[in-house]
Amino acid sequence: MSAPARARGTAARTAALLLPDAVALHHRYLSDLRHLVSIDSGSYSPEGVNRVAAWTVRRLASLGFEADRAAVTAGGRESRFGDLVVGRLRGRLPVERGGRRILLAGHMDTVFDDGTAAERPFRLSGPLAHGPGVSDDKGGLLAGLAAVELLLHRRMLDFAEIVFLATPDEEIGSPASRPVTAALTAGIHYALGLECARENGDLVIARKGVADFVITVTGRAAHAGIEPERGANAALAAAHLLIDCQKMNGRWGDVTVNVGMVRAGSRINVVCPEAELHVEVRSSTDDGIRHAREAIEKAAARLSVPGTNATVRQTEACPAMEDTPEARTMFDHAMEAGRELSIALGAAATGGVGDANTIAGAGVPTLDGLGPVGGGDHGPDEWLDVTTVPSRVALLAALIVTLGDAGGSLRRESGAGPRVI
């Protein structure tokens, strides 16, 4: 006697229903991808980013979103970034009836300088598309828009609201957009990151957090030839401190500590009076960053060169996107849809930081890597596997439907049949 067939939940049923629609959209997706990749939109190229922003607002409006652009600045300086885009689409299932608010988050900027799009224009080579930003993140941004279009076409609107976020500065750590992103998380129940899937097709369940520190070591200047004994060499103290920091690697699991920049002295005939170390710490948990910070402060307080002292200043901090039970539940739904689409999904943890860190750090269950499969990010061979676009768009749309109706999830858990949409 054969084993009973596995029950197909909402994610699987929806994915199977939407796949033909995603295939039908594929030609236009490629056309849009060619257009966006042809626009230079480096983080420090606000005019190019704003061309992508204007296009994104038009597309959101055509889908029924209330969409707008907002100028963002960092540190009170005059903006040198493009605008941030936010779109809101109301569903037909209010929160009090089990509807959920879902944030889709992607970014419009790339790491490439102006002129790159002309030097390396969009091209298709077999199953792969190439061009600056084709995977990171223009392919993912378009996947989010296409997924919503599938749901609208099928009138699958059982969610409270979809909030679509497109940031202009993610590639440089989102210095201007991060406060807006954090504010947008208020009232959000789930977040889906539109970065592309890993090269092997995995989704991203966790991202390391990061904290940057500047350690200023102060010594005492003296003539290096006549009376060096009157000096206190800050460069020597900083060198010992650098070694102490690098030895912290491996002390707390996956926590990494990297002294990436060192500056010291101004003249060769002067005992160095001041030195500076720039240190980056990454960890999959916020506790790991805290442990490293405390160790750095302790090392800076006991310098080995008499007459020197040090101060530690934290300059940047981005929380970890931790692997949580809530994120695992989201991943389970994605795996269900993936099985229906013949996609074997894994859950990857990465050291890279993105807007998903800010969102997860605000307490929103987050799953990332929901764009098509791509790789070679930030390099001349960046690629996107266009054959994965229809299935990944269908998977993303199915996940939105599944997460958008908490009442439907409760009914499934209680053993009732899936909701007919």
Side-chain angles (χ1 to χ4, degrees), residues 87 106 162 236 297 340 359:
I162 293 175
L236 179 59
E297 291 170 344
E340 188 70 22
I359 297 164

Side-chain angles (χ1 to χ4, degrees), residues 143-387:
L145 294 168
V148 175
E149 186 168 353
L150 296 186
L151 300 182
L152 291 168
H153 176 70
R154 290 282 180 171
R155 300 296 297 166
M156 295 180 175
L157 303 177
D158 283 344
F159 50 82
E161 185 179 42
I162 293 175
V163 179
F164 193 99
L165 169 67
T167 56
D169 57 347
E170 188 271 351
E171 293 292 5
I172 54 172
S174 305
S177 66
R178 192 184 305 163
V180 180
T181 299
L184 276 177
T185 62
I188 295 294
H189 297 96
Y190 299 103
L192 302 174
L194 301 178
E195 296 282 359
C196 283
R198 304 294 91 179
E199 292 189 11
N200 64 356
D202 285 354
L203 304 186
V204 176
I205 195 76
R207 290 181 176 274
K208 282 188 174 182
V210 63
D212 295 343
F213 302 90
V214 175
I215 308 174
T216 303
V217 182
T218 304
R220 186 169 55 251
H223 194 295
I226 298 174
E227 47 187 13
E229 70 280 359
R230 293 194 174 187
N233 197 316
L236 179 59
H240 286 291
L241 184 56
L242 183 155
I243 294 171
D244 289 341
C245 288
Q246 291 296 142
K247 285 182 176 178
M248 294 175 191
N249 284 286
R251 190 178 297 179
W252 309 281
D254 69 350
V255 177
T256 59
V257 180
N258 181 59
V259 181
M261 291 193 296
V262 181
R263 298 191 180 101
S266 59
R267 290 180 179 272
I268 197 170
N269 62 344
V270 177
V271 175
C272 178
E274 187 171 276
E276 196 173 76
L277 303 178
H278 291 248
V279 186
E280 181 194 75
V281 175
R282 293 189 184 233
S283 171
S284 60
T285 67
D286 293 337
D287 280 345
I289 290 177
R290 178 177 55 80
H291 289 315
R293 182 182 67 244
E294 291 171 353
I296 290 169
E297 291 170 344
K298 182 180 292 186
R302 56 170 196 269
L303 298 181
S304 60
V305 177
T308 61
N309 58 77
T311 60
V312 180
R313 176 169 57 94
Q314 184 169 321
T315 58
E316 286 288 338
C318 186
M321 172 185 161
E322 298 193 21
D323 185 344
T324 65
E326 295 81 7
R328 284 287 167 176
T329 298
M330 298 170 71
F331 179 70
D332 288 344
H333 289 307
M335 280 203 303
E336 179 193 320
R339 284 191 294 267
E340 188 70 22
L341 298 167
S342 299
I343 302 173
L345 292 176
T350 177
V353 173
D355 288 331
N357 290 70
T358 299
I359 297 164
V364 179
T366 304
L367 187 64
D368 203 358
L370 285 154
V373 176
D377 296 357
H378 299 186
D381 299 319
E382 182 177 0
W383 56 271
L384 186 79
D385 186 345
V386 298
T387 66

Side-chain angles (χ1 to χ4, degrees), residues 79-97:
S79 177
R80 54 193 171 102
F81 309 106
D83 293 344
L84 175 141
V85 172
V86 177
R88 293 182 178 274
L89 179 69
R90 292 191 178 279
R92 64 186 175 203
L93 193 64
V95 171
E96 55 269 22
R97 289 176 46 210

Side-chain angles (χ1 to χ4, degrees), residues 53-103:
W55 183 94
T56 303
V57 167
R58 289 194 298 270
R59 176 56 61 85
L60 287 168
S62 73
L63 295 173
F65 281 80
E66 294 180 4
D68 203 0
R69 292 162 53 180
V72 289
T73 58
R77 300 190 301 270
E78 183 178 345
S79 177
R80 54 193 171 102
F81 309 106
D83 293 344
L84 175 141
V85 172
V86 177
R88 293 182 178 274
L89 179 69
R90 292 191 178 279
R92 64 186 175 203
L93 193 64
V95 171
E96 55 269 22
R97 289 176 46 210
R100 291 293 176 258
R101 294 190 176 95
I102 297 173
L103 176 63

